[in-house]
Amino acid sequence: MKNTLRSTPSVGAHGGRCIACPSAVSAAAVCALVALALLWGSAACGAENFPRPDFTRGETFPEQINPFPRAAWLTYVDLAALVVTLALATLFSLKLRSRAHLFALALFAVAYFGFYRHGCVCAIGAIQNVAYALGANGYKLPLVVGLFFALPLLFALFFGRTFCAGVCPLGALQEIIVLRPVRVPAWLDAMLSQIPFIFGGVAVLYAAVGSTFLICRYDPFIEFFRFGGTLPLLLFGAGLLVLGIFVGRPYCRYVCPLSALLRLAAPLAQWRPRITTGECVNCHLCAQACPYGAIRPPTAPERGFNRRAGRRSLALQLLLLPLFMALGGGLLRLSSFSLAQLDPRVRLAEEVWMQEQGIIQEPTDALEAFGNLEQPNLAAYQRGAAVQKWFDTGSWFLGGWIGLIFGLKLVGMSLRRRRETYSIDVASCVHCGRCYNVCPLTREGAAGDEGPGPGPLPLGSGVGFDGG
């Protein structure tokens, strides 16, 4: 074996060229035979250690719900589809300013990423894969999954939330059904919009520990894409769709963790939808057409506002941020035992203990499976204790994150923003294109000499890209 391994480098020792000398061919042949022998031997040993199970006793097999793994090259097709649709969404939103094109792209996203791909791989769920890889689980993040997570964020950093425009199948499905939108009160919208940050933090904790993927587990629309699922989730998804007729994208705005990340990234974008302040006629049509409240009206002039008192209040709230984080971390640390109850390893350790104490008379499925492994109860206790320790530490970070969100929200509420004309809140804008259709300046620019209608515009007029 040693001689064979030493002979291999000599094949490429002539300036990197492959020279088919007899000795090299013999060495390669020996290597191939040894590799085949090792593979055959390992397969044989594996077959011996894990004999084929006997399924001839009339067992009932569970229904296949999750999609089967795809071939590697097909995953790159999905990745190419993501890149192309992101580019098209950016083009339709910032250059063509076409609601019709964006709507057609949304239909494609629902058909391909939703029903054809059964919602997997999903950029929203990829958050958990990233967290799982960063945890102490020995999990290696697949390249395609990592790019599904990174590319929407990268586009948001440059162009805003074009991923939400017509690429995400969940957002696209909700975009299609917004028929009679009503405006959510500002105070209620401000409160509910913090839920995605909290839900995302909880999902990251459970994924990093290796307990479960909460985002996928409670995805309200995945059951529709896969034509099956549990009744509670189907009802939850149906309820969100009915609500979405009147409230624009309720899942995206008040649940989706990826939406929270995109809201943080979008304000940094250099190229994004803007209202050109020099030409806006303050007709209010774009704000009325936006079902997401992303177009802010001009602010009323404030009289008697004490700037010095406002600055003192802002400084105090900034100083209180560490206190909020410490308070949140402490409170979540107290509840770490409850948080860990969702982990099957912790639950198994408790069931083993209760069985030992005689509290459980009939063994559960988990206890039966553990008993078949013929391991000592101490193994279950050690695994459960290790997971509980991870939750004890992770709950500090999660609580600190929630405290930071709460503190920053208070800071944001105390800031005074002055607007003389309508402006787009790029963090909330999902590039749906409705404002393009109603802006009189955009329609006038699109019509040219042939009358009103959507189309490409010269830069710098109406609602749209002004390059600044």
Side-chain angles (χ1 to χ4, degrees):
M1 174 65 73
K2 291 182 179 179
N3 292 334
T4 303
L5 293 177
R6 278 199 299 267
S7 66
T8 303
S10 64
V11 174
H14 301 271
R17 298 174 56 190
C18 180
I19 301 175
C21 60
S23 60
V25 173
S26 300
V30 171
C31 288
L33 289 175
V34 171
L36 287 174
L38 290 175
L39 287 173
W40 181 86
S42 61
C45 293
E48 184 177 351
N49 293 332
F50 301 98
R52 291 175 63 84
D54 181 14
F55 290 125
T56 59
R57 294 176 297 179
E59 289 86 352
T60 301
F61 293 93
E63 182 182 357
Q64 178 67 29
I65 297 177
N66 297 327
F68 288 101
R70 282 162 66 86
W73 70 273
L74 287 176
T75 62
Y76 289 100
V77 172
D78 296 337
L79 182 61
L82 175 68
V83 173
V84 171
T85 49
L86 279 170
L88 289 177
T90 304
L91 173 69
F92 297 159
S93 174
L94 299 185
K95 183 63 177 175
L96 301 184
R97 307 175 187 178
S98 171
R99 164 71 179 166
H101 286 75
L102 288 168
F103 192 82
L105 188 63
L107 292 176
F108 171 79
V110 171
Y112 184 83
F113 294 113
F115 288 105
Y116 173 65
R117 289 298 302 117
H118 296 169
C120 189
V121 55
C122 169
I124 305 172
I127 297 174
Q128 302 160 118
N129 295 82
V130 174
Y132 190 49
L134 294 176
N137 303 290
Y139 171 70
K140 185 178 179 181
L141 181 68
L143 175 63
V144 172
V145 177
L147 289 174
F148 259 78
F149 168 75
L151 284 175
L153 286 173
L154 186 64
F155 270 73
L157 285 172
F158 286 94
F159 309 110
R161 296 172 58 177
T162 53
F163 174 74
C164 304
V167 183
C168 174
L170 278 67
L173 180 62
Q174 297 170 88
E175 178 65 34
I176 294 171
I177 63 170
V178 182
L179 300 177
R180 295 184 175 278
V182 296
R183 190 166 301 279
V184 179
W187 63 269
L188 182 60
D189 181 77
M191 289 178 57
L192 296 178
S193 60
Q194 306 309 307
I195 294 177
F197 293 100
I198 300 173
F199 180 46
V202 175
V204 166
L205 172 61
Y206 277 101
V209 173
S211 300
T212 184
F213 279 12
L214 281 179
I215 299 174
C216 298
R217 189 171 178 177
Y218 298 107
D219 188 323
F221 305 126
I222 204 74
E223 313 287 10
F224 299 123
F225 293 147
R226 296 176 183 175
F227 299 105
T230 61
L231 181 61
L233 268 184
L234 286 171
L235 292 176
F236 178 43
L240 278 179
L241 289 179
V242 172
L243 179 64
I245 296 175
F246 308 100
V247 178
R249 302 196 185 203
Y251 179 80
C252 301
R253 295 164 69 187
Y254 307 129
V255 182
C256 177
L258 182 62
S259 172
L261 294 180
L262 297 179
R263 283 165 57 186
L264 297 177
L268 304 176
Q270 175 70 19
W271 299 278
R272 58 190 187 185
R274 299 175 191 267
I275 295 178
T276 49
T277 55
E279 301 181 27
C280 178
V281 296
N282 290 333
C283 64
H284 196 63
L285 292 177
C286 58
Q288 289 180 333
C290 180
Y292 311 113
I295 298 182
R296 310 298 188 193
T299 54
E302 295 188 14
R303 297 177 179 176
F305 177 69
N306 190 333
R307 292 183 177 274
R308 179 173 297 180
R311 283 196 289 268
R312 283 201 299 266
S313 175
L314 176 61
L316 177 62
Q317 290 173 0
L318 290 174
L319 290 175
L320 288 177
L321 274 180
L323 178 61
F324 289 141
M325 296 174 64
L327 183 62
L331 291 176
L332 260 292
R333 172 63 182 84
L334 293 176
S335 61
S336 64
F337 179 77
S338 300
L339 289 173
Q341 295 303 302
L342 198 60
D343 190 286
R345 294 161 292 185
V346 175
R347 289 203 308 272
L348 175 63
E350 291 181 353
E351 290 178 357
V352 170
W353 179 82
M354 287 190 289
Q355 189 181 42
E356 279 189 347
Q357 302 301 315
I359 301 175
I360 292 181
Q361 301 299 329
E362 294 292 332
T364 62
D365 292 341
L367 284 174
E368 284 190 359
F370 178 70
N372 292 333
L373 295 176
E374 298 181 352
Q375 293 182 351
N377 291 349
L378 181 61
Y381 294 149
Q382 289 175 338
R383 282 195 290 267
V387 173
Q388 182 63 57
K389 188 176 181 180
W390 294 338
F391 272 97
D392 291 344
T393 304
S395 59
W396 274 108
F397 289 98
L398 177 60
W401 169 246
I402 295 175
L404 178 64
I405 294 169
F406 178 76
L408 289 178
K409 187 61 183 176
L410 289 181
V411 171
M413 292 172 63
S414 66
L415 294 177
R416 303 285 178 179
R417 299 178 179 84
R418 183 180 179 185
R419 292 185 296 271
E420 297 181 352
T421 61
Y422 285 88
S423 65
I424 297 177
D425 178 9
V426 69
S428 302
C429 176
V430 295
H431 295 236
C432 67
R434 283 183 172 84
C435 53
Y436 298 149
N437 272 5
V438 299
C439 177
L441 295 180
T442 301
R443 293 177 64 86
E444 180 182 354
D449 298 331
E450 300 177 357
L457 296 178
L459 298 183
S461 63
V463 178
F465 168 67
D466 63 2

